[in-house]
Amino acid sequence: MTSCKPLADLVSECIELAKLVPSSHNCQPWQVQWYAQSVPFDGRLQIGFDPDNIINALPALQNEMWMSLAGFSAVLINLLEATGITCVVSSPITSGTNNATCEHPYILEAQLTYQPERINLARFNQIKSLLAQRYTYRGALTGNKKLAAHDRILSTVLWHSPHIEWQSIEGDKHLKTAELVARFASQDFKHAKAWQETYAFIDFSETPNKEAERGFNIQQLMGPMSLIKRRAHQLLLNPLSMRVLAKLGVADSMAQALSQLTAQSSQIICLCQKSTQSTFDWLCAGQKMIEMWLQATAQGLAIHPLSVLLQHPEAKAALHEQLGKEHHPLFIARVGKSDADPKFIAQFRYRAALPRILKQH
């Protein structure tokens, strides 16, 4: 980043970085509308959903879409501010209301004014570096180091609720959470519509697929795999195969494997709300999620969401019961030191081209 760039170029540069935030299946459900203004250093943007890239095979996935879009929005606004852009932000989503994903044309609007003298390169480079390093890993996450909250990385908060806070699940509850994974994780594979949607996002190629803009490579989650192993997983995980194999106990065996990884993980963290959730709360949760993910990255730790415990009503109810009635779970993940090669993982970071995200007016 250099000073005195055209405002539109700075917006594009920040979007290119913000799209590195996590989203369910790496579906990247965001879209940015950019409105240039007659004053060269002023402009307006709106952040909303791209209706063509929302996943919806399960009702709970709508909550994940809100969280994904909130994480993208929080990172984008903080990057813009670090470039010297003053952002006057407003949102049509108010506390206590529930909204469908495309009910509003946008979830956040920002009036931008570029002031080059306010550039904060240290802040910009910190966020940029952590986004480049961040990844999701499904393998072992071990070690004795615990994730601890330090000074905020995303200093500008867009949505805030005092009733949402992190819990570290420890001791017996850690092991009981692993038991819940063993009990419910097979539902990911047994729900035909949900698994068909998930499978469509998986790439089984050996090297990065240059045409892929969304989804994830199987090796990004599980580490390097031989041709035979990749083809075996491609066949094993195929929705048609899974319908048969699930009846033979394969899905349950896979759930047991994830349960063991959960039990052996260094830490389990859960973002909880003291009462029932509104759309506003899911936006708050998404912002808190990306902040903690960047905090973990800064501390040399990796995160793997245990989304299955929140996507299916019976699993979520069991987790809620374990946590206690005042702790409604919004996001849960295992945390620890990954044995993956970050450079190997990074090569499979598929992202949509800028013109598919940024619409200029």
Side-chain angles (χ1 to χ4, degrees), residues 127-244:
I127 300 172
K128 177 181 178 180
S129 175
L130 292 174
L131 288 170
Q133 295 175 55
R134 187 213 63 80
Y135 63 90
T136 303
Y137 186 56
R138 197 183 187 281
L141 297 175
T142 56
N144 297 320
K145 187 175 182 180
K146 303 291 186 181
L147 175 59
H150 293 165
D151 292 341
R152 291 192 62 86
I153 294 167
L154 304 175
S155 55
T156 295
V157 176
L158 303 178
W159 300 278
H160 174 69
S161 170
H163 305 298
I164 299 176
E165 57 185 22
W166 287 102
Q167 301 284 331
S168 181
I169 301 178
E170 300 176 348
D172 290 343
K173 286 189 176 182
H174 184 129
L175 296 178
K176 288 181 179 179
T177 302
E179 292 173 2
L180 292 180
V181 172
R183 180 179 167 191
F184 293 110
S186 63
Q187 293 188 16
D188 266 354
F189 308 104
K190 293 178 179 179
H191 192 291
K193 184 179 179 181
W195 183 244
Q196 185 172 7
E197 183 177 67
T198 300
Y199 186 81
F201 282 92
I202 307 177
D203 168 41
F204 294 92
S205 60
E206 177 184 7
T207 56
N209 184 345
K210 295 181 179 180
E211 296 181 359
E213 292 193 333
R214 292 178 169 83
F216 53 92
N217 186 280
I218 188 72
Q219 299 175 100
Q220 189 179 22
L221 295 184
M222 305 182 69
M225 301 171 70
S226 66
L227 173 62
I228 293 176
K229 195 170 183 180
R230 283 184 288 107
R231 289 293 174 261
H233 275 75
Q234 188 172 14
L235 178 61
L236 175 72
L237 297 175
N238 184 283
L240 294 177
S241 303
M242 191 54 67
R243 289 184 186 180
V244 177

Side-chain angles (χ1 to χ4, degrees), residues 12-324:
S12 297
E13 184 176 344
C14 289
I15 291 174
E16 287 283 12
L17 294 174
K19 69 185 186 182
L20 294 174
V21 303
S23 59
S24 301
H25 305 339
N26 189 30
C27 66
Q28 303 169 64
W30 39 72
Q31 192 168 86
V32 179
Q33 307 291 334
W34 167 247
Y35 301 88
Q37 297 184 357
S38 57
V39 179
F41 281 8
D42 286 6
R44 178 170 56 93
L45 62 77
Q46 295 174 341
I47 304 173
F49 285 107
D50 178 351
D52 294 331
N53 289 295
I54 292 175
I55 58 174
N56 55 14
L58 294 168
L61 289 172
Q62 176 173 276
N63 302 330
E64 294 187 16
M65 295 298 94
W66 287 113
M67 291 182 67
S68 297
L69 188 55
F72 172 83
S73 301
V75 167
L76 179 57
I77 293 300
N78 276 269
L79 284 168
L80 289 169
E81 290 188 338
T83 65
I85 298 173
T86 298
C87 302
V88 180
V89 175
S90 62
S91 174
I93 310 299
T94 57
S95 180
T97 60
N98 288 290
N99 307 91
T101 50
C102 292
E103 181 176 336
H104 294 285
Y106 59 89
I107 69 158
L108 182 142
E109 183 175 56
Q111 186 69 40
L112 310 184
T113 301
Y114 182 33
Q115 299 173 286
E117 69 277 6
R118 300 189 63 177
I119 291 173
N120 186 335
L121 273 175
R123 180 185 177 192
F124 181 87
N125 288 332
Q126 180 194 31
I127 300 172
K128 177 181 178 180
S129 175
L130 292 174
L131 288 170
Q133 295 175 55
R134 187 213 63 80
Y135 63 90
T136 303
Y137 186 56
R138 197 183 187 281
L141 297 175
T142 56
N144 297 320
K145 187 175 182 180
K146 303 291 186 181
L147 175 59
H150 293 165
D151 292 341
R152 291 192 62 86
I153 294 167
L154 304 175
S155 55
T156 295
V157 176
L158 303 178
W159 300 278
H160 174 69
S161 170
H163 305 298
I164 299 176
E165 57 185 22
W166 287 102
Q167 301 284 331
S168 181
I169 301 178
E170 300 176 348
D172 290 343
K173 286 189 176 182
H174 184 129
L175 296 178
K176 288 181 179 179
T177 302
E179 292 173 2
L180 292 180
V181 172
R183 180 179 167 191
F184 293 110
S186 63
Q187 293 188 16
D188 266 354
F189 308 104
K190 293 178 179 179
H191 192 291
K193 184 179 179 181
W195 183 244
Q196 185 172 7
E197 183 177 67
T198 300
Y199 186 81
F201 282 92
I202 307 177
D203 168 41
F204 294 92
S205 60
E206 177 184 7
T207 56
N209 184 345
K210 295 181 179 180
E211 296 181 359
E213 292 193 333
R214 292 178 169 83
F216 53 92
N217 186 280
I218 188 72
Q219 299 175 100
Q220 189 179 22
L221 295 184
M222 305 182 69
M225 301 171 70
S226 66
L227 173 62
I228 293 176
K229 195 170 183 180
R230 283 184 288 107
R231 289 293 174 261
H233 275 75
Q234 188 172 14
L235 178 61
L236 175 72
L237 297 175
N238 184 283
L240 294 177
S241 303
M242 191 54 67
R243 289 184 186 180
V244 177
L245 295 174
K247 296 177 181 179
L248 300 177
V250 172
D252 293 327
S253 296
M254 296 171 74
Q256 288 292 337
L258 179 56
S259 173
Q260 291 177 9
L261 287 172
T262 303
Q264 296 164 3
S265 295
S266 173
Q267 187 179 17
I268 300 174
I269 59 173
C270 188
L271 189 58
C272 299
Q273 159 78 312
K274 292 184 179 179
S275 59
T276 55
Q277 303 91 38
S278 67
T279 300
F280 183 87
D281 294 319
W282 288 110
L283 295 175
C284 295
Q287 183 173 245
K288 284 182 174 288
M289 175 197 69
I290 188 59
E291 171 67 30
M292 190 59 78
W293 212 317
L294 295 179
Q295 293 268 356
T297 303
Q299 296 170 46
L301 300 172
I303 285 181
H304 175 225
L306 296 172
S307 303
V308 66
L309 295 182
L310 300 176
Q311 291 174 349
H312 303 277
E314 187 180 358
K316 186 175 183 178
L319 177 61
H320 183 198
E321 182 179 1
Q322 175 186 295
L323 294 171

